[in-house]
Structure formats: C-alpha cells, structure tokens
Amino acid sequence: MTDLKTQERFTPLARFPLHVSRDVVQARQSVARELRDRGVTNIRVTRFSTAVSEIARNVIVHGGGGEFSVYLDPAAGYLMTVSSDKGRGIADIPQALTDGFTTAGGLGRGLGGAKRLADVFEIISSADEGTTIKMGIKL
C-alpha cells in the first residue's frame, strides 16, 4: 500500500487550479486518461473519476477554490491525487464522512462516497491551513 506521507517519491503527472466547474471536468478527464493509459478497467476508471469529481467540486464549493494534482507512485503501483484548498477546514472529519451529513444542503453522501470509491484516502484539515485530501487507486 502506498504511504501518503512520503509524497516526495511520487512522479508528478498533472496539476490544475480548481476555481470553476470546468476545472472539475479537467481534473476528472485527466485522471481518467491516466488510468486508461495504464490499462485500468472502465468500471474502476469511472468509480475513481467520480471520487475525483466529488472532491474537486468540494474544493470549489466548501474551500473557495484550490488546486488539484495527479501523481504516480511507481514503487507501490498507485495513481494518486491531491486536492487542497485554503478554506475554513473540516471541524469534525468523522461526522463529515457520515452519509447524510451536509453543510451545503446536498445529499451528504459525497465525501464518504469518495472515500469508498478510492483504494486509499486521507484527509488533513484545520481551520488555519484549509483541507487537503489525498486519494489513490491501485493500478
């Protein structure tokens, strides 16, 4: 399994700003292309791309915009993504991951759903630093 704390060994593949809806589309398409190029099945591409869309959208809606990066962890065989914002952070991460919990009037299934669609998932959040979500899928 990949160690999310040793990101420096990852090979950078793409980096995008996240400010408007088309940026979410660009992030999703970039991840899908990288996965297909590496022979990942269509269902797994769709599942992980959906997780990427949800998290990228959250960066814009809840974090006021931010950044999205795609990496390859060649040692462990994972495609990794890092989404970050400088928003107010997530006060209660376990609660935020609970299906039905929402702060924006949605269904409250996005964050927990993204976690279920990824093979690895980590949230780092504070009121001072914003939120960073690292996700990965085994190739």
Side-chain angles (χ1 to χ4, degrees), residues 28 31-32 35-36 39-52 113 116-119 137-138:
R28 178 186 179 103
V31 165
L35 291 173
R36 283 190 197 101
V40 175
T41 64
N42 283 337
I43 188 69
R44 295 189 74 231
V45 169
T46 299
R47 289 172 56 94
F48 193 69
S49 296
T50 299
V52 164
R116 288 188 294 275
L117 294 172
D119 293 331
I137 182 171
K138 184 75 172 158

Side-chain angles (χ1 to χ4, degrees), residues 23-43:
D23 297 336
V24 174
V25 173
Q26 185 178 23
R28 178 186 179 103
Q29 290 174 342
S30 173
V31 165
R33 183 175 44 256
E34 294 292 345
L35 291 173
R36 283 190 197 101
D37 287 351
R38 288 165 175 77
V40 175
T41 64
N42 283 337
I43 188 69

Side-chain angles (χ1 to χ4, degrees), residues 44-122:
R44 295 189 74 231
V45 169
T46 299
R47 289 172 56 94
F48 193 69
S49 296
T50 299
V52 164
S53 291
E54 178 59 34
I55 298 305
R57 188 188 69 76
N58 283 355
V59 166
I60 295 167
V61 171
H62 298 286
E67 185 173 278
F68 176 81
S69 300
V70 183
Y71 298 91
L72 183 63
D73 179 351
Y78 280 81
L79 185 83
M80 302 299 302
T81 65
V82 178
S83 303
S84 60
D85 65 54
K86 298 294 183 194
R88 58 184 164 86
I90 300 172
D92 186 339
I93 292 172
Q95 182 182 37
L97 289 166
T98 302
D99 284 347
F101 177 77
T102 181
T103 59
L107 296 175
R109 300 183 61 91
L111 198 57
K115 181 179 180 182
R116 288 188 294 275
L117 294 172
D119 293 331
V120 293
F121 187 91
E122 178 184 10

